[in-house]
Amino acid sequence: KAEDKMLERIVAIKAPKEEMGQTDLILQAKQQASLNHPNLIQVYSINPDPLFVVLEYADGGSLRSIAQDNPQTYGAVSRVAKDCIDALTYIHSRNPKRLHLDLKPENILLSDSTFKLTDGLFMREGLIYEGSMSSPKLAGTPAYASPEQKGRLDKENIKLDERSDIWSFGMMLYEMATGRVLEAGETVRDNLAGNGVEFARIIDKCL
């Protein structure tokens, strides 16, 4: 968080970390800056030396900090879902189509009562993609990554499409509704009962 004194506004600052080097940070920022939608965090600029990215500041924090790993009401889940769907529909409708590939509660921020996606890879569909960005072959976060994303650990030539984002979206909806991630061997309906039956049906369609 910082103050842009020239434009008199609060902004977010993102610097390179161990898991994301300078080249990766620049690539991610450029991909995100090329998109413009009310449900996407905007990239304002890249400062070259020292390297950091200036982004729109989200005053409401991340979905992770808001939910705090507690089950959310279906109304709250629906509100987040609508904003995410709007953003994903936009990036999937680009020509060429873009993919987020790292949808998770940490990458959904609340700004002025609107949920916005950030920190996606925003890669073009169909590219042979070697990794989250330059190092591991797995693009995204394991708990939310689609089988196709995880399959890149064993098969070099797997191409990804929007179904990977839809899978991650379903995993995130499940976590919001139950307060826990879906473990291997569990079914969606194991922890969704009563009014959750319809939600379970929707999540099942995503997975």
Side-chain angles (χ1 to χ4, degrees), residues 20-129:
M20 176 179 281
Q22 294 190 10
T23 301
D24 291 344
L25 179 64
I26 293 171
L27 174 61
Q28 184 189 64
K30 286 182 176 179
Q31 296 282 12
Q32 190 164 338
S34 69
L35 302 168
N36 184 21
H37 188 272
N39 295 110
L40 294 176
I41 290 291
Q42 295 301 297
V43 173
Y44 295 144
S45 64
I46 299 176
N47 189 79
D49 188 19
L51 177 63
F52 59 83
V53 179
V54 183
L55 308 99
E56 172 186 354
Y57 177 70
D59 56 354
S62 71
L63 181 57
R64 174 71 71 197
S65 66
I66 295 168
Q68 296 184 343
D69 298 325
N70 294 316
Q72 303 298 297
T73 66
Y74 296 114
V77 177
S78 296
R79 178 185 169 206
V80 175
K82 179 187 179 303
D83 286 349
C84 289
I85 289 170
D86 286 348
L88 290 175
T89 299
Y90 167 76
I91 65 173
H92 292 166
S93 67
R94 298 303 86 200
N95 185 17
K97 185 181 296 182
R98 300 296 187 87
L99 308 175
H100 187 281
L101 295 180
D102 199 15
L103 196 62
K104 58 183 178 180
E106 290 83 355
N107 288 346
I108 300 174
L109 307 180
L110 181 62
S111 178
D112 294 330
S113 302
T114 300
F115 286 99
K116 303 188 176 190
L117 306 189
T118 191
D119 287 358
L121 305 184
F122 296 112
M123 64 168 276
R124 295 181 179 183
E125 179 190 38
L127 293 181
I128 302 299
Y129 193 69

Side-chain angles (χ1 to χ4, degrees), residues 160-185:
L160 303 179
D161 59 30
E162 70 267 33
R163 289 174 293 182
S164 287
D165 281 342
I166 293 170
W167 174 283
S168 300
F169 176 66
M171 294 292 281
M172 192 185 64
L173 287 185
Y174 177 87
E175 182 178 359
M176 287 190 65
T178 64
R180 56 194 298 275
V181 297
L182 184 65
E183 301 290 347

Side-chain angles (χ1 to χ4, degrees), residues 77 140 148 198:
V77 177
E148 291 75 20
E198 180 61 19

